[in-house]
Amino acid sequence: MKEVSEIDLCFSLRVRHLLHLHVATGVQRYFLQFRQCFINDQQAMVEKGRMLIEYVTMNTIAIRKILKKYDKIHSSENGKLFKSKMWAEHIEILQSPWLIELGAFYLNLDVLDGDELNEVSGRFSCDLSVTPPTMTLMLPDSLKMEYDLTCAVCLESVFNPYALSCGHLFCKSCACAAAFVFIFQGPKSAAPDAKCPICREAGVYAKAVHMLELDLLLKTRCTNHWKKRYNAERAGIRKQNMQGFD
């Protein structure tokens, strides 16, 4: 459990750092754009992302083979039980919201050319026209992961999405409503005992992940829907502000 936790933490921190550069705002974004005149940061980001995908692939296959071999040698079900425990502890790396963010990052770059980019981005696909809208990740050994991009509260494609530490995705406004906090306060301001609307696990809001790359992907590919949801959220914030003054 300690080793798997370290793998998950290492992956999360490295993806967060990588994507922070891509979605930088304000002065930092201006600095990065100026720096790109001299250094190809985007190419470096693609390379780092490729290494992270290899990291996921290598560790996922290794862990699965170890658990399978353990059960075969000891004629037990302990390997399967350990895998279930990883899911329960939210350290199963293929269920990490940062993997969804990394996939959205590559799909946001799919307008670029380059064999290296195509090699990695080809593992990810996204179909937002089906029900439910889905992101798919293909890994070696015919391993296929599908991620449902539906908010379980409003039953629409997630808008301004947040992933709670239990792994479930919600629109920011829906997560805030479920936690009884204002939208402008954000999910992280929820009470420590606030529960996930799906699994009812408590304490999952404090480490919620703001899915900026996924939001950018939805904004780009579902422009009209995204604008409609944006206007609705802004109206909700203004209404809540007025209620706060009252």
Side-chain angles (χ1 to χ4, degrees), residues 132-153:
T134 305
M135 178 184 292
T136 303
L137 167 62
M138 296 298 300
L139 292 172
D141 288 359
S142 300
L143 186 59
K144 179 180 179 181
M145 297 297 299
E146 293 186 340
Y147 304 98
D148 186 349
L149 304 181
T150 304
C151 172
V153 174

Side-chain angles (χ1 to χ4, degrees), residues 46-75:
V46 169
E47 171 60 19
K48 289 179 180 178
R50 183 188 64 78
M51 293 176 65
L52 285 168
I53 292 298
E54 289 184 356
Y55 181 80
V56 169
T57 302
M58 175 184 68
N59 283 286
T60 296
I61 294 176
I63 291 171
R64 292 190 175 210
K65 287 184 176 180
I66 289 170
L67 298 181
K68 185 176 180 180
K69 186 174 183 179
Y70 183 92
D71 281 345
K72 183 177 181 180
I73 292 175
H74 297 280
S75 301

Side-chain angles (χ1 to χ4, degrees), residues 108 215-223 226:
N108 287 329
D215 190 47
L216 178 59
L217 178 67
L218 296 168
K219 179 181 179 181
T220 303
R221 300 199 178 191
C222 306
T223 304
W226 190 93

Side-chain angles (χ1 to χ4, degrees), residues 163-234:
L164 306 186
S165 60
C166 57
H168 293 120
L169 294 178
F170 300 96
C171 307
K172 179 181 179 181
S173 58
C174 293
C176 290
F180 300 103
V181 297
F182 290 128
I183 300 174
F184 65 84
Q185 293 176 305
K188 292 186 178 183
S189 64
D193 59 349
K195 297 180 180 180
C196 169
I198 297 180
C199 64
R200 307 305 297 166
E201 182 174 343
V204 293
Y205 287 86
K207 295 183 179 180
V209 176
H210 193 184
M211 312 283 282
L212 295 173
E213 289 287 350
L214 179 57
D215 190 47
L216 178 59
L217 178 67
L218 296 168
K219 179 181 179 181
T220 303
R221 300 199 178 191
C222 306
T223 304
N224 293 334
H225 177 74
W226 190 93
K227 287 182 178 179
K228 179 181 177 181
R229 296 294 302 276
Y230 174 81
N231 291 332
E233 184 176 280
R234 299 303 299 176

